[in-house]
Amino acid sequence: GGSGSAMDAPSGAGLGGADPQLQRFIEVETQKQRFQQLVHQMTELCWEKCMDKPGPKLDSRAETCFVNCVERFIDTSQFILNRLEQTQKSKSAFSESLSD
Amino acid sequence: VSAGMESGFGSDFGSGGGGGGKLDPGLIMEQVKVQIAVANAQELLQRMTDKCFRKCIGKPGGSLDNSEQKCIAMCMDRYMDSWNTVSRAYNSRLQRERANM
């Protein structure tokens, strides 16, 4: 394991000191910020792919494109993580067999 | 990709309840939320300006003519529409991921 975002902060750790309310607040706000940042990033990327000339409204074709774009971006991110994990597993299996 | 998101993003913390210190944790949290909101607005504006400049301004003239201004205005609205569409789509995806866990 260990792939993916580092969201599993140990409880009672240093952030926010001893105050659990503050710590919880930091966890929640950090998650919210991650979400916001990704929306910013995907909007920027998908704008390039989906928007021609800005019109009086977002037509349904562009809207569909944006939705697909978000889904495919997340698929891409997951694909990369999964494949990375696979290649690392096969590497460690190789080095284990060497040390036998 | 964070899969363990809260379902809503409107969590609120009441003020007080801290350990009787001089600093009110509730007040600090509210101030931090405001600062975060400001930072997000700035981020949005910066990216919107970049995109709409690219879409609407060809060869830069001596001033923004009427068509350029109209284009920028429309572009701003479309960028907001796009941002909201992306936000909704991402949120749906996260809910779906959590439901499958």
Side-chain angles (χ1 to χ4, degrees):
Chain A
S3 63
S5 57
M7 270 173 31
D8 317 296
S11 54
L15 283 182
D19 189 337
Q21 192 187 19
L22 213 50
Q23 204 164 301
R24 179 80 186 123
F25 171 77
I26 288 170
E27 281 171 23
V28 168
E29 288 303 316
T30 303
Q31 275 193 29
K32 281 157 95 171
Q33 260 317 94
R34 276 210 195 92
F35 179 87
Q36 292 280 76
Q37 276 308 114
L38 226 64
V39 173
H40 284 311
Q41 184 187 356
M42 286 191 285
T43 302
E44 207 176 18
L45 286 169
C46 298
W47 177 273
E48 292 304 320
K49 296 198 179 290
C50 297
M51 191 57 86
D52 305 313
K53 197 91 181 145
K57 71 179 200 73
L58 201 66
D59 69 54
S60 57
R61 203 153 45 130
E63 175 142 12
T64 304
C65 180
F66 275 102
V67 173
N68 288 338
C69 181
V70 168
E71 297 283 343
R72 300 298 78 74
F73 181 86
I74 295 170
D75 290 343
T76 303
S77 175
Q78 290 179 338
F79 183 94
I80 288 172
L81 286 173
N82 289 334
R83 190 163 180 280
L84 199 66
E85 199 176 335
Q86 282 170 24
T87 45
Q88 282 181 342
K89 272 186 192 155
S90 61
K91 271 186 198 160
S92 57
F94 180 68
S95 53
E96 273 166 15
S97 67
L98 279 183
S99 56
D100 282 346
Chain B
V1 176
S2 9
M5 296 291 281
E6 296 280 292
S7 53
F9 298 109
S11 45
D12 261 348
F13 291 91
S15 60
K22 307 151 203 160
L23 296 173
D24 177 5
L27 188 62
I28 291 174
M29 292 193 287
E30 285 310 306
Q31 287 178 338
V32 167
K33 279 199 212 174
V34 167
Q35 287 179 336
I36 289 173
V38 167
N40 272 321
Q42 284 178 338
E43 180 103 40
L44 184 65
L45 239 51
Q46 188 182 322
R47 294 179 194 238
M48 180 193 283
T49 304
D50 182 280
K51 293 305 179 194
C52 293
F53 182 85
R54 286 175 199 268
K55 287 282 185 205
C56 294
I57 312 300
K59 195 95 176 165
S63 66
L64 291 179
D65 66 42
N66 274 331
S67 64
E68 284 170 331
Q69 290 186 31
K70 265 212 299 212
C71 178
I72 293 169
M74 269 201 304
C75 177
M76 288 172 67
D77 292 344
R78 299 297 76 73
Y79 195 83
M80 281 314 307
D81 292 340
S82 306
W83 199 94
N84 288 328
T85 301
V86 168
S87 179
R88 277 194 307 267
Y90 184 36
N91 200 36
S92 302
R93 175 59 179 259
L94 289 177
Q95 310 281 35
R96 228 178 307 138
E97 294 285 326
R98 270 197 321 156
N100 289 340
M101 264 161 65

